[in-house]
Amino acid sequence: MDISGEQHLDIRHDIIKKRINDHGNVIEARQEGIGAPKIEKPLQRHGGRLEHNETYCGSCFGAEGSDDDCCNSCEDVREAYRKKGWALSNPDLIDQCKREGFLQRIKDEDGEGCNIYGFLEVNKVAGNFHFAPGKSFHQSGVHVHDLLAFQKDSFNVSHKINRLAFGQYFPGVVNPLDGVQWTQETPSGMYQYFIKVVPTVYTDISGHTIQSNQFSVTEHFRSAEAGQLQSLPGVFFFYDLSPIKVTFTEGHVSFLHFLTNVCAIVGGVFTVSGILDSFIYHGQRAIKKKMEIGKFS
């Protein structure tokens, strides 16, 4: 989301998300509904149970937008509740969520982490992107994440950034967040990176130009009080663009400039050698003279 008002929720294109265990190994994807209690006749929208010759149209439990709306999955019910601005406090009371084993799936995933990689295209204005638990949506003009489904009051946002770049790599670039790792000690909180992006143009010796960016960063952690999620748990990257552009141009050194440098180096070596030679010569003469004076006395 950025200051122009553009927002993208639950991004999936060009972003790969993988479940990992506490050792960092990728967990194989599980088929939906495995291990869930089997319900022979799901609840229909009109309140009855599904019969053999009927088409399934699940109930939205009062959150239908119209008489023709159906909620055939737990996610459909949650989405209908979000549109109404209602809280789904106990998903296990919802027929679709119970059938899919929603709460059990959340419990099974406790202690897991995730590996996220890919790229985003953003506008050249100040904004932020973040990784946070829960389905995100807008409610009364406010960006909200649904955390009720997790049935917990603390989230661990420990993380490691393998690589973060605003644009292509070019020779000599240093991205300060590459390889950064942070471990959370408190029960919950929000970790924030404030990034200043500097547009950079790099031109190599052959004239090929790379339009990229460098950035500097400051970090801040907002801790939540025990049992109270006053701030959304997650990792936030707030970025702003600098009005200054940096240009790097690669070029050859002229032969005359090279010759001048060689002469300067040779002259410097000759001068230093002369100073050392003079110091050693006069030192030896002084010592020899004192020794001679000592013999005559």
Side-chain angles (χ1 to χ4, degrees):
M1 58 181 67
D2 57 46
I3 59 173
S4 69
E6 187 166 334
Q7 301 189 18
H8 298 277
L9 308 179
D10 195 22
I11 296 175
R12 298 182 184 276
H13 55 84
D14 300 323
I15 294 291
I16 307 299
K17 306 174 185 178
K18 293 183 178 180
R19 293 170 52 207
I20 57 176
N21 59 21
D22 53 358
H23 297 294
N25 299 319
V26 176
I27 300 172
E28 293 295 330
R30 179 186 61 239
Q31 294 182 8
E32 297 296 328
I34 295 298
K38 187 176 181 181
I39 298 178
E40 295 292 344
K41 296 183 178 182
L43 185 67
Q44 290 281 63
R45 179 174 58 81
H46 52 68
R49 291 289 174 177
L50 177 66
E51 299 300 334
H52 294 295
N53 297 325
E54 287 184 292
T55 300
Y56 178 53
C57 178
S59 171
C60 295
F61 299 88
E64 296 89 349
S66 67
D67 291 339
D68 297 328
D69 285 350
C70 300
C71 294
N72 295 341
S73 67
C74 182
E75 184 58 35
D76 290 343
V77 178
R78 295 175 65 202
E79 187 64 30
Y81 267 60
R82 279 193 288 269
K83 290 179 179 179
K84 289 284 188 179
W86 298 351
L88 189 62
S89 57
N90 191 353
D92 218 20
L93 296 179
I94 303 300
D95 190 70
Q96 291 89 327
C97 296
K98 184 178 180 181
R99 186 172 68 250
E100 296 172 9
F102 179 78
L103 285 183
Q104 185 60 45
R105 190 163 70 245
I106 294 295
K107 292 177 181 178
D108 292 343
E109 293 175 357
D110 189 35
E112 292 182 8
C114 57
N115 172 235
I116 304 173
Y117 61 94
F119 63 90
L120 306 170
E121 290 188 0
V122 299
N123 296 324
K124 287 190 175 181
V125 295
N128 85 80
F129 59 92
H130 58 266
F131 308 99
K135 181 77 173 179
S136 57
F137 61 98
H138 290 290
Q139 187 67 45
S140 302
V142 180
H143 181 69
V144 181
H145 281 248
D146 180 13
L147 302 178
L148 288 174
F150 292 100
Q151 307 281 308
K152 58 193 299 185
D153 56 5
S154 66
F155 295 87
N156 191 321
V157 295
S158 299
H159 58 275
K160 178 182 180 181
I161 303 173
N162 294 319
R163 170 183 170 183
L164 178 64
F166 288 80
Q168 299 181 49
Y169 272 66
F170 58 88
V173 66
V174 177
N175 291 324
L177 288 181
D178 287 1
V180 168
Q181 187 167 354
W182 180 80
T183 303
Q184 178 176 311
E185 304 294 342
T186 58
S188 191
M190 173 193 293
Y191 203 87
Q192 301 169 311
Y193 293 97
F194 297 92
I195 299 171
K196 192 71 172 182
V197 181
V198 181
T200 303
V201 179
Y202 177 84
T203 304
D204 63 18
I205 195 69
S206 62
H208 177 66
T209 298
I210 299 176
Q211 300 280 349
S212 189
N213 300 276
Q214 302 177 87
F215 66 90
S216 59
V217 62
T218 56
E219 306 171 20
H220 178 65
F221 177 68
R222 291 178 56 184
S223 178
E225 295 181 7
Q228 297 182 2
L229 292 176
Q230 295 181 345
S231 58
L232 176 63
V235 184
F236 287 70
F237 298 84
F238 297 89
Y239 58 89
D240 191 10
L241 275 78
S242 170
I244 299 173
K245 177 183 282 187
V246 177
T247 301
F248 292 109
T249 304
E250 191 179 39
H252 284 299
V253 177
S254 67
F255 179 74
L256 185 61
H257 188 267
F258 169 75
L259 191 60
T260 303
N261 286 341
V262 170
C263 292
I265 293 170
V266 172
V269 172
F270 181 78
T271 302
V272 172
S273 300
I275 293 173
L276 291 175
D277 179 68
S278 177
F279 176 76
I280 294 171
Y281 173 73
H282 289 292
Q284 285 180 339
R285 285 193 62 185
I287 294 172
K288 189 177 181 180
K289 189 174 182 179
K290 287 183 179 181
M291 290 176 65
E292 289 177 353
I293 293 174
K295 287 180 179 179
F296 287 112
S297 61

